[in-house]
Amino acid sequence: MATAGKVIKCKAAVAWEAGKPLSMEEEEVEVAPPQAMEVRDKILYTALCHTDVYFWEANGQTPVFPRILGHEAGGIVESVGEGVTELVPGDHVLPVFTGECKECAHCMSEESNLCDLLRINVDRGVMIDDGQSRFTIDGKPIFHFLGTSTFSEYTVIHVGCVAKIDPEAPLDKVCLLSCSISTGLGATLNVTKPKKGMTVAIFGLGAVGLAAMEGARMSGASRIIGVDLNPAKHEQAKKFGCTDFVNPKDHTKPVQEVIVEMTDGGVNRAVECTGNADAMISAFECVHDGWGVAHKEAVFKTHPMNFL
C-alpha cells in the first residue's frame, strides 16, 4: 500500500487520565510503521469489553497513561514489518491479546497458551521489539494496551497477536471472536468440558457468559443455570440455553448455597465470567462434591490472576 513505511496520522480514542472521558476529536495520533515481526492494521470495527473499562478506571492496577485501550476488534493488514511471512497487506485479521510465538514451551504444549513472549502483560505499554511505543502525539509517546490498542483507526501489533481470518467473514460480527466469544466458548468447550446431561452454572451473563452458556448448550447440558445481578439478562440468556436464572439479590443466603439446594448437591460444572473474586468463590463452592471440592472451614487464598 502507498502508506507502507510511512507514519500514518489518524483518529484514536486516547485515555489521558484514569476515569476521564476518552479524547477523540482534539488530536491526531501518529502511528509509526511496523518494526520486525510486527504488523500495522487498519481497524474497521472494535467492540467494548469490560476489561477496557476496568483498566480505564485504573482501580487497583498500575496506572499507565496516556494510553489507547481496546482489544476486541477486526481489521485489515495495512503493512508488515521485517520477518513477517504469514501475513500480507490486505489480509483480514483479528487482534488477539494472548499471542503465540509458536516456539516456547507453552506454545509447543497443548496444555497451555501462556506464551513466554506474548502472554498477557497489562502493565507493558510499549512494543516488545525495542521497548518503544508506535503511537505519538506531537512527539509524546502514547502507550499501548494488551499489545493491541484497537481504539485507533490504525494500530501496530506483534504478528503473534494477529489471527488471519476468512475475508468473507463479516468483520462487524466476528470482531467479537478476538475476545468475548472465544473466551467464554473456549472456557466451556476446552476446559470444563461438560458431558451430555450434566448441570452447568454460568456466573455473569455478559458477552463472555453468554458464549460460555452456548458452549454448555452445545455440549448437551441438561440444565444450565444463569447467575446475574441484572434480571433483564434472563430473557436474552434463554436464547443461549438458560434453563434457570438466579439473581443473588433475591436470596438471603449465599448464591452457592441456593444453587447447591436447587441441584441436590451442586452442579457438575461452573464457569465464572465476571472476574469478581466473590463470584469466583461462589462458582467454586456451588460445584457438587466429587466433581469439584466440597466446602470446608479452612480457607484457601490466592490472587485471582493465578487462575489464569
Side-chain angles (χ1 to χ4, degrees):
M1 294 186 179
T3 50
K6 302 176 182 178
V7 172
I8 292 177
K9 291 187 177 181
C10 67
K11 292 292 185 181
V14 181
W16 287 98
E17 297 179 57
K20 297 294 179 66
L22 303 184
S23 175
M24 298 179 64
E25 300 298 334
E26 296 179 1
E27 313 93 355
E28 278 193 321
V29 176
E30 298 135 6
V31 185
Q35 301 303 306
M37 303 306 294
E38 297 173 359
V39 300
R40 186 163 59 184
D41 294 341
K42 181 178 183 180
I43 299 298
L44 298 182
Y45 296 94
T46 186
L48 175 65
C49 175
H50 193 269
T51 300
D52 298 307
V53 178
Y54 184 71
F55 283 92
W56 166 68
E57 293 174 337
N59 293 325
Q61 317 104 35
T62 303
V64 182
F65 296 98
R67 196 174 211 178
I68 297 176
L69 299 165
H71 63 280
E72 190 175 73
I76 297 175
V77 174
E78 175 270 337
S79 61
V80 303
E82 181 183 354
V84 175
T85 58
E86 56 265 56
L87 293 170
V88 297
D91 281 344
H92 286 219
V93 294
L94 302 178
V96 183
F97 59 84
T98 302
E100 294 183 354
C101 71
K102 301 180 182 179
E103 297 178 353
C104 71
H106 286 280
C107 287
M108 299 301 289
S109 168
E110 294 183 357
E111 300 298 318
S112 169
N113 68 336
L114 294 178
C115 174
D116 288 337
L117 180 68
L118 300 172
R119 67 173 59 195
I120 298 172
N121 185 334
V122 296
D123 295 334
R124 186 178 64 234
V126 294
M127 300 301 291
I128 293 174
D129 179 59
D130 59 2
Q132 301 294 316
S133 173
R134 302 290 177 260
F135 299 114
T136 56
I137 293 179
D138 296 329
K140 180 179 181 179
I142 308 297
F143 295 112
H144 296 249
F145 176 64
L146 291 179
T148 53
S149 292
T150 63
F151 290 176
S152 175
E153 291 179 312
Y154 287 87
T155 187
V156 177
I157 307 174
H158 190 283
V159 67
C161 292
V162 179
K164 182 179 177 180
I165 62 170
D166 189 328
E168 296 298 317
L171 286 170
D172 61 329
K173 305 292 193 304
V174 299
C175 65
L176 296 175
L177 285 169
S178 68
C179 180
S180 58
I181 295 178
S182 298
T183 302
L185 195 69
T188 303
L189 295 180
N190 300 329
V191 181
T192 62
K193 299 178 181 178
K195 295 179 175 65
K196 186 175 182 179
M198 282 187 168
T199 56
V200 180
I202 309 293
F203 285 72
L205 301 181
V208 175
L210 293 178
M213 185 169 284
E214 174 69 7
R217 185 196 64 77
M218 292 169 61
S219 300
S222 62
R223 195 173 182 186
I224 303 174
I225 303 169
V227 183
D228 203 286
L229 297 173
N230 184 354
K233 299 285 187 71
H234 188 194
E235 285 302 313
Q236 182 76 0
K238 289 180 180 178
K239 301 176 184 178
F240 294 83
C242 184
T243 60
D244 302 81
F245 180 81
V246 178
N247 185 341
K249 292 181 178 179
D250 295 338
H251 303 274
T252 56
K253 62 179 64 176
V255 67
Q256 56 265 45
E257 294 182 17
V258 173
I259 295 173
V260 167
E261 290 180 4
M262 65 189 288
T263 56
D264 192 24
V267 296
N268 302 118
R269 302 285 191 269
V271 187
E272 195 287 311
C273 304
T274 70
N276 179 280
D278 290 333
M280 293 178 187
I281 294 170
S282 296
F284 187 73
E285 293 183 354
C286 80
V287 178
H288 198 293
D289 57 348
W291 284 270
V293 179
H295 179 59
K296 301 293 183 183
E297 292 301 319
V299 177
F300 170 78
K301 293 183 178 180
T302 187
H303 194 283
M305 285 296 288
N306 289 333
F307 276 104
L308 294 179

